[in-house]
Amino acid sequence: MTKAHETMTEEGVCPRCDEGELYRDSVDVGVGVIFGPWGCPCCGWSESEAYDVEFGGGVQENGSYLDPYGGLTPAANPIAKMLAAEAKKEAA
């Protein structure tokens, strides 16, 4: 059975864990603001399936970490190393 990606039904509330503290990155490019996807720091849900921990985000094959907001932490970063070690523990 294929997992279905949850979508936000109430703004600011995570559809997976019901956490009310969703975040997203934004940047002012001078003529407007570009917003990234909403993401949940508690469970790793992302508005974008590509960044959702259950669908392709999280620790990558090369050891880097793709967060729910679309940010990529390089594999050499200590935080990415810690998250990769935790993922290995959970998989074992």
Side-chain angles (χ1 to χ4, degrees):
M1 186 167 128
T2 307
K3 284 186 178 181
H5 182 254
E6 303 96 338
T7 56
M8 198 169 29
T9 56
E10 183 180 335
E11 188 163 325
V13 178
C14 178
R16 188 174 295 152
C17 71
D18 292 325
E19 177 64 38
E21 292 291 323
L22 297 180
Y23 300 98
R24 69 179 176 178
D25 290 335
S26 63
V27 63
D28 186 339
V29 294
V31 294
V33 179
I34 298 174
F35 294 96
W38 286 104
C40 180
C42 296
C43 68
W45 172 83
S46 178
E47 184 177 30
S48 172
E49 191 171 319
Y51 306 133
D52 194 306
V53 171
E54 290 189 11
F55 293 92
V59 178
Q60 304 296 296
E61 288 182 23
N62 66 356
S64 60
Y65 180 75
L66 185 59
D67 68 31
Y69 321 106
L72 182 70
T73 304
N77 186 294
I79 294 171
K81 289 179 181 181
M82 177 196 67
L83 292 168
E86 284 182 21
K88 275 187 180 178
K89 265 194 246 180
E90 289 177 9

